[in-house]
Amino acid sequence: MADIRNEIEKRRTFAIISHPDAGKTTLTEKLLLYGGAIALAGSVKGKKTARHAVSDWMEIEKQRGISVTSSVMQFRYDGSCINILDTPGHQDFSEDTYRTLMAADSAVMVIDAAKGVEPQTRKLFKVCLLRDIPIFTFINKMDRDARSPYDLLDEIEYELGIKTYPMNWPIGSGKEFQGVYDREKREILAFRAVDELANGQHEVPVIEADLSDPGLSDLIGQSHYETLCDDVELLDGAGYEFDMDAVRHGRLSPVFFGSALTNFGVEPFLKEFLRLTPPPLPREADVGAIDPFRPDFSAFVFKIQANMNRAHRDRIAFMRICSGRFEKGMEVYHVQGGKKIKLAQPQQLMAQEREIIDEAYAGDIIGVFDPGIFSIGDTICTGAEKFQFGGIPTFAPEHFNRVYQVDTMKRKQFVKGMSQIAQEGAIQIFQEYKTGMEEIIVGVVGVLQFDVLKFRLEHEYNVDIRLEALPYEHIRWIENKDIDLDHLSGTSDMKKIRDLKGNPLLLFVNSWSVGMTLDRNEGLVLSEFGRN
Ligand code: G4P
């Protein structure tokens, strides 16, 4: 028992979120280096060479040279066992990116210092807010010309609605970048551009910095010294107080400035992050909160991925362990399926390698072979008490296509393929509100998923489809139980549809129409997230 508690307390499970190109891959690589999980920088996904190394599962990825899928990387550092949940970085990201955040206990938001908050960061951030998880900010690329740090913090606070607490403060940027001032330790981490690391060891000169000592100006230059003194005075006097409770509930984000590419500020960030971020916390289920330290194993499926290995045509269900200890060969209860099962081939993804594992603990992610029984959000547990975790919301798709089957003789394969791909959570299927199965509308979070759908139906199910783009961009679930859709008065561009469970939904071309429809129908409650 003491052993289980000890192991679980070491776990730190987080996702890194960013807009493409902000430096997520580079930061992940450097973090893995500290854990000794990879030997050389560049081996996670070298941008143009082997971008798809981790998830080399589909031609489409190869053709486009991008990573569509996400993976999990585990490493140990300084007594902690760290799970990084990687999220697809491309613009055309899918719902998987959102779901991955449901499995994380905290998030690291990487922001490009020259660009600030970008659209994708904003979207992902909304999902973090949904769960109140701690959010840490790494403002990257300080070795390049950056925007004013005050502007960047203001933007985060204003655009994302979270307070910020700079843990360190940059001294200049770009060619003038001198390093960062650690506000707590009151020392300067001096910047020296270092590209390569040997065995994860890296020495950064640290200067004890008593700001009242004008001698500092010899080191960082007179004007930098003066600016730093003013900045620190202002931050200490007018900035927010550091409040651990606010950090733990995602209301205050500790901010770190650095440069992932030159490995500057990464290790201090990692150390502080591990100190401030929580081990696995209780998760809500239908019987109340499930304590991670209870001995009975429990987990939920947050992602299903087909064709991880093209040679085997397999399907893997990724589970987040929420309590206890998992052992290979263990018999578990699949709540939604109502059956006892053995989880086959439990594995963990370590950088590029898949490794069969013998045990895992609350906080860890395991991938198990899925013969087609799991759906997103399913609960797996052991012990006398059977329960279900809260489930994973369905995230609003932003692109819609009508799907036509080219050869109508292959109806069976078509239905099978569509429903399996939907079960994996790659697409969402809707129907016209009034007509039958003939009219099928597919919604996706990223447009690339349409290509994935067409490609997979063709190659795996031998079915050709034709897609016709629809103009809708906004979907809303109707929360009112007793709604009479026939009498709902919407805008002329609004479309009434239903999902496969029969729930009514509305499609809109723009957000103005959403507002207008709400105005016209008193008491109507619309939601951006659907319940599974
Ligand atoms: P992403 O996963 O968030 O999409 O970003 P990624 O790490 O791939 O980084 C995007 C680009 O930004 C890469 O350059 C990377 O080298 C660069 N970069 C990341 N961190 C820093 C940093 O701290 N400073 C500077 N100056 N650049 C940084 P690229 O030219 O697109 O790719 P590559 O050809 O260099 O691999």
Side-chain angles (χ1 to χ4, degrees), residues 18-27 46-48 51 89 140-144 258-262:
S18 77
H19 190 83
D21 273 350
K24 183 167 64 79
T25 311
T26 313
L27 182 66
K47 185 110 183 176
K48 275 146 204 148
R51 186 71 157 142
N140 191 28
K141 306 196 186 181
M142 289 307 298
D143 58 310
R144 288 213 190 138
S259 159
L261 185 67
T262 57

